[in-house]
Amino acid sequence: MRAGSKALSCQSACHLPDNLEQSRQNKVRAPECQSCHLGVLSTKAQNPFSQPKRSPRRLFALTENASITKVKSQTQASPSEAPSESGTENMAWVPGGEFIMGSNERWDDEGPEHIASVDGFYIDLYETTNADYKKFVDATQREAPYHWPNGEIPKGKGSDPVIYVNWFDATDYCQWRGKRLPNEKEWEKAARGENGLIYPWGDEWSLDRSNHPYKNSTGVEPVGSYPNGKSPYGLYDMSGNVWEWVDSFYLPHPGNNIHRSEYGTDKRLLKGGSWFDCLSYGCGLSAPTFNRSFFTPEVRNNSFGFRCAKSPSKAGAAAHSSAQSPG
């Protein structure tokens, strides 16, 4: 059977059944599902998520949490809605509140789809670049990424996202900037908005909206190269280019009772997928906003990077709250 046909069969066997438990079992047992759920789908095969997607209402129907239908319609915050805060240039304001997190459609650690909530925060529009990180290296005498010749950015690569940085590097850089790493909930809301988009740009897969392995990518590309792939809050590269470290441990979502030996506070999460084809070790399609990857925090490689977030100061938040209060 051709890979494209397998993907279509997988849609019928795994992604459409109303019985969640049967769908979950099919993903690991049914032969037609194994091509996309067990990581053996060729990069040249049709992406199973590229089939016509169900509407957001259908996604809501897959959850057991009835309150999921109460999330208000998608909106993008305007700059005027953000609290006044210094040091937030080239950052987007993500308003606090509820949003749809997780997914029932793929890996067991991504579910269940549920309502989560965050306080309002700022997050960088772009992944941290080599040029950004070089300032940190020079100011702190920190060791440069090992692929920089003689500690200097490779020629013409200043706008590429910095790679070969571990979780500690990312955390220290953000703190040096007066910021912090986003946690998983913050990152996911920033990527998918309130209504649980599958990809930052919507629910339909597209080959030309991110730097990903399905277009035969061979490495990172300058940040912001895909303006038509922005998230609802205007963020670039929230799918593909580099996996992004976040300040969360690899633990199950609320309501997830499926045991995984990998869960624990010895591992940190990464979000967003990358240019690299990791299907060979079973990670599945890395493009969706609800994906999760995990490694011990000292790991560095050529597909790991990060971006920073920032909470509003108490003064800024208080002024913002007062300005938003009626009359």
Side-chain angles (χ1 to χ4, degrees):
M1 183 183 294
R2 292 179 303 166
S5 299
K6 285 184 179 181
L8 289 170
S9 297
C10 180
Q11 282 283 317
S12 300
C14 302
H15 300 285
L16 299 183
D18 292 326
N19 185 309
L20 287 179
E21 183 56 37
Q22 184 61 52
S23 175
R24 186 178 294 114
Q25 292 178 12
N26 284 350
K27 291 177 184 180
V28 295
R29 296 178 183 174
E32 61 267 37
C33 297
Q34 292 180 358
S35 63
C36 60
H37 294 288
L38 296 186
V40 296
L41 180 66
S42 165
T43 58
K44 297 183 182 300
Q46 188 169 3
N47 175 354
F49 279 82
S50 69
Q51 305 303 319
K53 295 306 300 180
R54 59 178 66 96
S55 69
R57 294 296 105 185
R58 172 62 176 165
L59 285 174
F60 298 164
L62 285 174
T63 182
E64 297 174 1
N65 186 346
S67 67
I68 205 162
T69 61
K70 298 179 182 179
V71 177
K72 62 184 180 180
S73 60
Q74 189 71 41
T75 56
Q76 180 171 332
S78 67
S80 62
E81 295 174 334
S84 177
E85 195 76 31
S86 63
T88 56
E89 300 78 13
N90 291 318
M91 300 186 83
W93 170 250
V94 179
E98 295 182 339
F99 69 103
I100 297 173
M101 184 172 183
S103 173
N104 297 325
E105 299 190 45
R106 199 174 63 159
W107 303 101
D108 58 44
D109 70 333
E110 295 168 345
E113 186 175 277
H114 62 285
I115 290 290
S117 182
V118 298
D119 294 330
F121 65 99
Y122 289 94
I123 187 167
D124 289 345
L125 291 170
Y126 304 97
E127 293 162 332
T128 301
T129 65
N130 285 323
D132 296 328
Y133 199 75
K134 182 64 164 63
K135 297 174 185 176
F136 170 64
V137 169
D138 290 346
T140 64
Q141 299 303 301
R142 196 181 194 91
E143 181 181 3
Y146 94 90
H147 67 300
W148 289 9
N150 299 316
E152 298 296 328
I153 300 171
K155 186 176 180 179
K157 300 296 183 179
S159 296
D160 284 2
V162 65
I163 53 176
Y164 291 109
V165 286
N166 64 27
W167 183 87
F168 300 106
D169 297 328
T171 297
D172 289 350
Y173 170 87
C174 290
Q175 291 179 350
W176 178 75
R177 291 291 307 272
K179 304 179 183 182
R180 58 174 175 80
L181 283 178
N183 62 42
E184 183 184 17
K185 289 196 296 184
E186 291 172 331
W187 192 100
E188 192 161 325
K189 182 173 184 179
R192 69 191 310 192
E194 296 166 346
N195 285 339
L197 297 179
I198 296 174
Y199 309 104
W201 54 84
D203 288 329
E204 297 288 340
W205 171 247
S206 177
L207 286 171
D208 62 354
R209 292 176 184 261
S210 62
N211 179 21
H212 58 85
Y214 292 86
K215 68 179 192 67
N216 298 316
S217 178
T218 59
V220 298
E221 296 180 13
V223 301
S225 293
Y226 296 88
N228 60 350
K230 290 188 294 186
S231 82
Y233 301 107
L235 277 66
Y236 295 81
D237 303 308
M238 295 295 275
S239 175
N241 217 19
V242 291
W243 284 100
E244 299 180 17
W245 289 108
V246 296
D247 191 13
S248 293
F249 297 117
Y250 182 54
L251 297 171
H253 286 323
N256 185 328
N257 297 317
I258 300 173
H259 174 72
R260 271 185 171 237
S261 60
E262 297 92 346
Y263 287 141
T265 56
D266 60 327
K267 303 174 188 72
R268 293 287 183 167
L269 277 168
L270 299 103
K271 299 283 286 183
S274 74
W275 65 270
F276 179 67
D277 178 9
C278 59
L279 286 171
S280 60
Y281 57 86
C283 73
L285 178 67
S286 69
T289 53
F290 47 76
N291 63 0
R292 311 174 89 200
S293 184
F294 61 93
F295 281 85
T296 52
E298 72 276 3
V299 173
R300 298 181 175 99
N301 74 24
N302 63 352
S303 63
F304 289 5
F306 66 97
R307 74 180 73 213
C308 302
K310 184 180 179 72
S311 299
S313 65
K314 291 182 179 180
H320 174 63
S321 177
S322 176
Q324 295 297 306
S325 299

